[in-house]
Amino acid sequence: GDFYFHFIDDKTNGTVLTDEEYFNDYLDRYKITCVQNRFISPKIIPIDIAGKVTIEKKAVRETVKKKIEEVIKQKLRLGNLNFGEPMITSYVESLIYSVPGLKWANLSYIGRDYTISTTNKAYSEDGGEIASFDEVLVIADNKLNENDILIHGIILEYSNVY
């Protein structure tokens, strides 16, 4: 079997230990027979989410929109996520439903590139994006194309109940 060790450089004490030789030397002192030490760089993978959101009749659309984006960005940021952890549709929807003024939400896409819906779109059983052991999935920064249309990040279509 394989054993994986994830290392993230903690620079809070002022010491930067990024030298691969340092870690190899350290691990070689505790080498186990038939185990090969190797280093794989972690991957931070930006994820796009898309769908439709309906807001309560009396709610202010811009307020609800701002709060939904704040909740998603706060909960799905790098410091709150783990290696190999999938981004599950039901979890992201539960974050959206936690916002007051929301009537309903339906996510139609969680993946690595919304502009190419078939690119890297592996789904877990619950729906969402799968992460490899060396990947951390985070919400992509919002990005517009040349026509000012949102193509990456939180791509939600908002409407009000009338």
Side-chain angles (χ1 to χ4, degrees), residues 83-101:
F83 283 97
E85 185 175 41
M87 192 167 294
I88 304 294
T89 303
S90 59
Y91 177 69
V92 177
E93 285 182 344
S94 73
L95 296 175
I96 295 170
Y97 276 107
S98 72
V99 174

Side-chain angles (χ1 to χ4, degrees), residues 64-108:
V64 174
K65 178 181 176 181
K66 181 179 177 186
K67 186 64 179 166
I68 286 173
E69 291 194 11
E70 284 175 1
V71 166
I72 290 172
K73 287 177 182 178
Q74 195 265 334
K75 294 288 186 181
L76 300 177
R77 64 188 167 115
L78 185 58
N80 292 337
L81 302 168
N82 297 310
F83 283 97
E85 185 175 41
M87 192 167 294
I88 304 294
T89 303
S90 59
Y91 177 69
V92 177
E93 285 182 344
S94 73
L95 296 175
I96 295 170
Y97 276 107
S98 72
V99 174
L102 181 80
K103 180 71 173 173
W104 63 267
N106 182 24
L107 293 181
S108 57

Side-chain angles (χ1 to χ4, degrees), residues 77-142:
R77 64 188 167 115
L78 185 58
N80 292 337
L81 302 168
N82 297 310
F83 283 97
E85 185 175 41
M87 192 167 294
I88 304 294
T89 303
S90 59
Y91 177 69
V92 177
E93 285 182 344
S94 73
L95 296 175
I96 295 170
Y97 276 107
S98 72
V99 174
L102 181 80
K103 180 71 173 173
W104 63 267
N106 182 24
L107 293 181
S108 57
Y109 181 84
I110 292 182
R112 298 174 186 222
D113 191 346
Y114 181 70
T115 62
I116 307 171
S117 62
T118 58
T119 301
N120 296 324
K121 198 172 177 184
Y123 286 99
S124 63
E125 292 176 10
D126 187 32
E129 183 68 25
I130 300 285
S132 296
F133 79 96
D134 61 342
E135 295 178 332
V136 178
L137 305 179
V138 297
I139 291 296
D141 292 333
N142 287 350

Side-chain angles (χ1 to χ4, degrees), residues 10-106:
D10 181 2
K11 298 177 184 168
T12 56
N13 65 2
T15 305
V16 180
L17 301 173
T18 57
D19 189 2
E20 186 174 322
E21 289 180 16
Y22 171 83
F23 292 110
N24 273 327
D25 290 344
Y26 178 83
L27 290 174
D28 282 344
R29 285 185 266 154
Y30 306 100
K31 186 140 176 78
I32 300 171
T33 304
C34 300
V35 173
Q36 178 185 0
N37 295 329
R38 66 185 181 127
F39 292 88
I40 300 173
S41 298
K43 298 175 190 126
I44 310 302
I45 307 295
I47 298 296
D48 298 328
I49 64 168
K52 295 183 178 185
V53 174
T54 302
I55 298 165
E56 292 284 354
K57 194 176 200 175
K58 296 178 182 179
V60 178
R61 183 187 302 202
E62 286 306 312
T63 304
V64 174
K65 178 181 176 181
K66 181 179 177 186
K67 186 64 179 166
I68 286 173
E69 291 194 11
E70 284 175 1
V71 166
I72 290 172
K73 287 177 182 178
Q74 195 265 334
K75 294 288 186 181
L76 300 177
R77 64 188 167 115
L78 185 58
N80 292 337
L81 302 168
N82 297 310
F83 283 97
E85 185 175 41
M87 192 167 294
I88 304 294
T89 303
S90 59
Y91 177 69
V92 177
E93 285 182 344
S94 73
L95 296 175
I96 295 170
Y97 276 107
S98 72
V99 174
L102 181 80
K103 180 71 173 173
W104 63 267
N106 182 24

